Amino acid sequence: MRGAVRAAVAFSTLRSASQGPPRCPPPLWTWPPPTVPPPPPGAGAPPGPDETLISEGRATILFPSANEVFYNPVQGFNRDLTCAVLTEFARLQLQPKGIRVVLPGEEKRDTGDPQPPENGDTAPVPDGAEAPRTAKPGEVCEGGLRVLEALAASGLRSIRFAKEVPGLRAVVANDFSARAVELMNRNVAFNGVGDLVAPRMADARMLMYQCKADREPFDVIDLDPYGSPAPFLDAAVQAVSEGGLLCVTCTDMGVMAGNSAETCYSKYGAVSLKGKFCHEMALRIILHSLDSRANCYQRFIAPLLSVSADFYIRVFVRVFTGQAKVKASASKQALVYHCVGCGTHHLQRLGKVTSHGTGFKYGAATGPPVGPTCEFCQQRHQLGGPMWAEPLHDPAFVERVLAALESSPGRFQTEERMRGMLSVITEELGDVPLYYTLDSLSSTIHCNTPSLLQFRSALLHAGYRVSLSHACKNAVKTDAPPAVLWDIMRCWAKIHPVKRERLAETSPASRILSVEPTLQASFALRDDANPSSRKRGLKRFPENPEAFWGPKARAKAGGGISPSLQEKRKRHQNKRTERTDDGTSLKNFPCKRFKEGNCSLGAQCCYSHEGVPPATPPP
């Protein structure tokens, strides 16, 4: 609390300089459109010679042609999903207040009272209210949600919130770049949403600490930074209201997927592993980091939806306060033992919870679950984590988002992909952390790969549950122990023999296949082996949306990009397969033979002799 007060004092000058939102124009969802007062000179003017118009959803923004403010069109799926999740979250939060959230087209289909809360209690109606109020997109909702986009850049996401999400009281679009705030002011006026969106220029952390000190928390905080959100997590878990929503994006997947385990620990307090399950583990690492930071303030998280898509991950969590619930957080985290030979993984919980009369008793867990070496291939284990070991999603909430997509078709450009991904999420086994992949299991024992339906049928015949994962196309998420998986693969290898004479005796494949299976697997196809999303042909794992679809270059003052991403890729990739015909690219490397004194090619050598002193012959 003292730190928050100090932050409030340091931030007082920024607060006094900020301005409130302008006067509210009439609602946007009327026809014919109302007359909006003219914007300030230059604020809502048409695009200049160095600007372009970008349309996404119901928003159209002015965007500089130079790379002065960050924007990535591939993240449109991220923004669509956020609007869909925020709409359903608004329904949940505003139902007890007697406010009915209505989207365009729902007025004719749904004219009744708000649905009662999920716990079955009757929703209280505000005193003096004769009928439930209605919240529509584009209108200021008294008693609605207060939203903060902490790193708004061009303001596109905030403008889409204002025009597409009902039940909002105010949206604060913040950025620390003066150029970004200037662009946001123009875009807000250009879209006529000045009654809802208030641009701010401040350090995102200081702004959230200030709201915490003033006891004016936000109902929704959206963090979508360039790279890691780690510097903003501590302020975010404090500045969100009780039961509020945190929306966090991580694009530093190289760190979270195991390429830099030590960097991952410094940012998120967990060691990442470079396994086939790395994308789901990345989701669990960010959830662990959010929960551990919230625990410092007697708060805890409840995930609503966690998504791995393209080159980033996105999580939606609610934050609650409760000392008793915080005690159970240790039992929600786990370490991962990952075999470097066969890829088998085991989980070790950090704590345990046992029933004790009418309450619970918390203590340290016992372990480890593995021996000094892997029981299947006798290789060593890598230790990763801790990570979140509880479910990644709230199935009831995901079903609500899916139902809203079905009831309002055509609302989002990426609706087809959203429906496919959310359908796969509803089919996932929530109580089974991490997964295996068919190609990794087959490559370990050097056999051909069984089909997805054959392997799923074998697990179902053995009496175990199995599902897909939205994070990987070939994923197998099952509650079967690793011994059962390898028995199934041994049975498959008997049907499709492996050339054992080519395997080294100490290889994982030789050691796994040298053991006879105790389970006789059946690969006869079962009807329930084919998941519903696959039967319906939903768009579950789409192709790359465009060329060079990955993370874009960081925005720079002045807008220059040096060097461009395409030039950087050409310089650093395929050095050995795409050499130039004249061999000039090798002139950047010194000649080892010239350094040793035995290069006889002279000037015809393809390597450089400059700056390399020749070796002196021995006396």
Side-chain angles (χ1 to χ4, degrees):
M1 185 64 185
R2 293 180 180 177
V5 173
R6 294 192 191 100
V9 175
F11 193 70
S12 58
T13 56
L14 288 175
R15 183 189 178 197
S16 60
S18 62
Q19 298 179 356
R23 293 171 52 188
C24 302
L28 301 177
W29 294 96
T30 57
W31 189 262
T35 303
V36 181
D50 295 331
E51 293 179 332
T52 57
L53 284 177
I54 295 177
S55 296
E56 185 179 290
R58 294 183 176 272
T60 301
I61 64 170
L62 306 169
F63 193 76
S65 301
N67 189 38
E68 296 178 291
V69 180
F70 184 77
Y71 167 72
N72 192 347
V74 179
Q75 293 265 19
F77 174 75
N78 185 336
R79 291 182 283 268
D80 285 351
L81 183 63
T82 303
C83 290
V85 169
L86 194 53
T87 300
E88 294 312 304
F89 179 73
R91 293 186 198 269
L92 288 176
Q93 293 293 89
L94 300 184
Q95 278 177 1
K97 298 181 180 180
I99 301 176
R100 184 165 60 94
V101 170
V102 177
L103 293 171
E106 291 184 351
E107 298 91 341
K108 298 180 180 180
R109 295 195 304 266
D110 183 13
T111 57
D113 296 333
Q115 298 178 359
E118 293 182 349
N119 56 12
D121 299 335
T122 303
V125 180
D127 296 337
E130 298 180 355
R133 291 182 290 161
T134 300
K136 299 181 180 180
E139 297 180 357
V140 177
C141 178
E142 294 298 330
L145 303 182
R146 191 162 170 260
V147 183
L148 168 66
E149 186 186 3
L151 307 156
S154 63
L156 172 60
R157 190 184 302 255
S158 295
I159 294 172
R160 290 196 58 185
F161 288 167
K163 304 191 77 169
E164 300 178 30
V165 179
L168 303 184
R169 176 162 55 103
V171 180
V172 177
N174 177 76
D175 204 282
F176 201 47
S177 167
R179 181 69 178 97
V181 176
E182 176 189 352
L183 187 63
M184 273 192 283
N185 279 298
R186 293 191 61 196
N187 285 328
V188 168
F190 190 80
N191 286 269
V193 292
D195 56 332
L196 274 171
V197 182
R200 293 286 297 273
M201 178 179 173
D203 185 294
R205 293 164 293 186
M206 298 296 290
L207 176 60
M208 289 186 281
Y209 284 133
Q210 178 68 43
C211 294
K212 165 67 176 177
D214 292 343
R215 297 185 179 181
E216 295 180 353
F218 292 97
D219 300 297
V220 180
I221 295 180
D222 191 298
L223 296 176
D224 191 356
Y226 186 94
S228 172
F232 311 99
L233 298 184
D234 180 78
V237 296
Q238 298 183 67
V240 69
S241 62
E242 178 66 14
L245 181 66
L246 274 184
C247 315
V248 182
T249 301
C250 303
T251 57
D252 55 337
M253 290 303 295
V255 171
M256 305 195 71
N259 288 338
S260 301
E262 69 286 350
T263 305
C264 185
Y265 179 81
S266 66
K267 291 183 176 181
Y268 304 103
V271 176
S272 56
L273 294 176
K274 201 171 184 179
K276 294 296 183 180
F277 48 73
C278 61
H279 291 95
E280 181 178 328
M281 188 173 183
L283 288 171
R284 296 184 179 277
I285 286 176
I286 184 60
L287 291 177
H288 157 76
S289 184
L290 285 169
D291 192 58
S292 62
R293 294 170 195 252
N295 291 165
C296 298
Y297 310 101
Q298 299 300 312
R299 311 193 84 181
F300 62 96
I301 67 167
L304 292 181
L305 178 63
S306 307
V307 172
S308 172
D310 298 333
F311 55 87
Y312 61 90
I313 56 175
R314 178 77 162 168
V315 295
F316 302 88
V317 301
R318 299 184 70 180
V319 181
F320 298 92
T321 304
Q323 185 178 7
K325 294 293 184 67
V326 170
K327 292 180 179 180
S329 291
S331 61
K332 299 177 182 179
Q333 321 298 326
L335 298 172
V336 183
Y337 289 84
H338 178 240
C339 176
V340 299
C342 62
T344 303
H345 58 260
H346 300 267
L347 266 62
Q348 169 66 64
R349 297 271 181 162
L350 296 185
K352 65 177 180 179
V353 182
T354 55
S355 300
H356 189 72
T358 58
F360 298 95
K361 184 177 180 180
Y362 305 95
T366 57
V370 297
T373 58
C374 176
E375 60 178 308
F376 304 106
C377 66
Q378 284 76 55
Q379 299 287 333
R380 68 186 188 278
H381 290 97
Q382 286 183 331
L383 185 61
M387 67 174 194
W388 181 262
E390 293 296 298
L392 296 174
H393 324 283
D394 182 348
F397 184 82
V398 178
E399 291 287 355
R400 291 178 66 106
V401 178
L402 264 176
L405 291 177
E406 298 292 343
S407 62
S408 301
R411 184 182 173 201
F412 300 109
Q413 185 177 0
T414 61
E415 178 181 327
E416 186 179 358
R417 183 183 180 186
M418 289 171 58
R419 187 181 294 111
M421 177 171 286
L422 293 177
S423 297
V424 176
I425 286 176
T426 59
E427 298 169 352
E428 287 185 8
L429 296 178
D431 56 343
V432 179
L434 305 184
Y435 54 79
Y436 295 90
T437 61
L438 280 177
D439 53 340
S440 64
L441 292 173
S442 302
S443 63
T444 299
I445 62 173
H446 300 279
C447 71
N448 60 351
T449 306
S451 69
L452 178 66
L453 296 184
Q454 288 174 322
F455 196 83
R456 287 171 59 95
S457 298
L459 286 168
L460 293 173
H461 282 301
Y464 297 98
R465 296 177 297 152
V466 61
S467 74
L468 299 175
S469 172
H470 78 279
C472 181
K473 184 177 182 179
N474 297 324
V476 176
K477 186 183 282 285
T478 177
D479 58 350
V484 173
L485 295 178
W486 291 122
D487 272 353
I488 293 176
M489 294 307 299
R490 292 185 186 108
C491 295
W492 178 259
K494 288 182 178 295
I495 303 174
H496 303 81
V498 177
K499 295 182 179 180
R500 303 281 294 274
E501 63 275 6
R502 294 186 178 182
L503 302 177
E505 294 183 0
T506 58
S507 66
S510 178
R511 287 172 172 171
I512 291 174
L513 294 176
S514 62
V515 179
E516 288 296 321
T518 58
L519 170 71
Q520 298 303 318
S522 172
F523 296 97
L525 298 183
R526 292 178 45 146
D527 293 336
D528 53 350
N530 197 9
S532 174
S533 60
R534 193 168 182 264
K535 290 180 180 178
R536 291 182 288 165
L538 298 180
K539 193 174 183 179
R540 303 172 301 157
F541 304 99
E543 297 179 355
N544 296 345
E546 62 180 26
F548 307 110
W549 61 278
K552 303 300 181 183
R554 185 189 295 270
K556 293 179 59 179
I561 307 178
S562 178
S564 68
L565 291 180
Q566 289 79 4
E567 293 175 356
K568 188 174 181 181
R569 291 189 182 100
K570 185 176 181 180
R571 187 174 70 253
H572 291 290
Q573 293 183 4
N574 300 323
K575 295 179 180 177
R576 298 173 181 171
T577 58
E578 294 184 0
R579 293 179 178 175
T580 56
D581 296 335
D582 54 1
T584 56
S585 60
L586 297 179
K587 285 292 184 181
N588 297 324
F589 302 94
C591 179
K592 294 183 179 179
R593 292 185 178 181
F594 180 76
K595 186 176 181 180
E596 296 171 356
N598 55 6
C599 181
S600 60
L601 297 178
Q604 297 180 356
C605 181
C606 60
Y607 294 98
S608 175
H609 289 185
E610 298 179 1
V612 181
T616 57

